[in-house]
Amino acid sequence: SDTFFRHRLVEPDKCDPLQALVTLGRADCLHSTYFPNEAAYLCSYVARLCKKHSNSDDTRWKIVRIYAFNVSVFIRATVRSILDKAKLKEFWTIWEPDVIRELEQGKKEGRLFLQLLNSGTNGEVQNATEVSIEKDDSLDYTTSPSQTENDETDPTNIVAV
């Protein structure tokens, strides 16, 4: 049962980064207990919050965005392992274009953050547009698994940052 994870969502105007992380934690738990639709809903909710704060100087929202991307990868991997192909194709439609763009931004920022950590730079994550992403490395939340059996662009083959 998912009743343990059901809580009222914080209103978007009142949600801070910590509350967004708690919501993503719930999404992570829900996908682990085979409630992928609910998990995807919560992940999408947080992605939209991140978009709302994308012009903020608050680095915490960038961290939330990175975690949202990682949770989306875990959700898609779980879904791929438990749903048949017909239901899986339907599930891919749950990710709306604005959410996908925000999750892709989280991926870019995560990679930039890793580059900064590996280079020994003590600076903050500044502008993720500096990271180039190859064509085959973009997220595809809409492709059915039958089209991507051995395809590196398969959404469940994307590794979390």
Side-chain angles (χ1 to χ4, degrees):
S1 173
D2 66 341
T3 55
F4 180 78
F5 302 107
R6 290 187 185 191
H7 298 280
R8 184 177 187 91
L9 289 173
V10 179
E11 292 182 39
D13 294 338
K14 297 179 181 178
C15 190
D16 64 33
L18 178 60
Q19 292 164 324
L21 284 174
V22 169
T23 301
L24 283 174
R26 287 178 23 218
D28 202 4
C29 291
L30 282 167
H31 95 79
S32 298
T33 55
Y34 299 111
F35 291 98
N37 291 334
E38 293 84 349
Y41 176 82
L42 293 176
C43 190
S44 296
Y45 175 80
V46 172
R48 287 188 178 102
L49 287 174
C50 291
K51 175 64 177 168
K52 183 179 176 182
H53 295 280
S54 62
N55 294 328
S56 170
D57 290 334
D58 191 346
T59 305
R60 297 177 302 167
W61 281 109
K62 293 180 183 189
I63 293 167
V64 171
R65 189 177 295 113
I66 294 166
Y67 184 42
F69 167 73
N70 286 340
V71 170
S72 77
V73 170
F74 303 146
I75 292 168
R76 288 177 284 133
T78 298
V79 166
R80 178 81 186 258
S81 69
I82 63 173
L83 294 181
D84 62 29
K85 290 183 180 185
K87 290 181 181 177
L88 188 56
K89 185 175 182 177
E90 181 182 322
F91 181 81
W92 294 143
T93 64
I94 205 167
W95 302 100
E96 295 182 16
D98 63 326
V99 171
I100 293 170
R101 283 190 298 274
E102 198 59 29
L103 294 172
E104 286 175 341
Q105 185 64 25
K107 180 180 181 178
K108 291 176 187 177
E109 289 175 350
R111 287 193 168 172
L112 178 61
F113 185 70
L114 287 175
Q115 286 177 0
L116 289 172
L117 287 176
N118 291 333
S119 69
T121 306
N122 291 328
E124 293 185 14
V125 177
Q126 295 296 325
N127 187 353
T129 57
E130 298 169 13
V131 178
S132 64
I133 294 188
E134 297 80 30
K135 180 182 176 189
D136 291 340
D137 203 17
S138 63
L139 299 177
D140 182 357
Y141 290 79
T142 59
T143 306
S144 71
S146 61
Q147 295 171 320
T148 61
E149 283 304 322
N150 292 312
D151 188 352
E152 291 182 11
T153 60
D154 177 352
T156 60
N157 288 338
I158 299 172
V159 179
V161 290

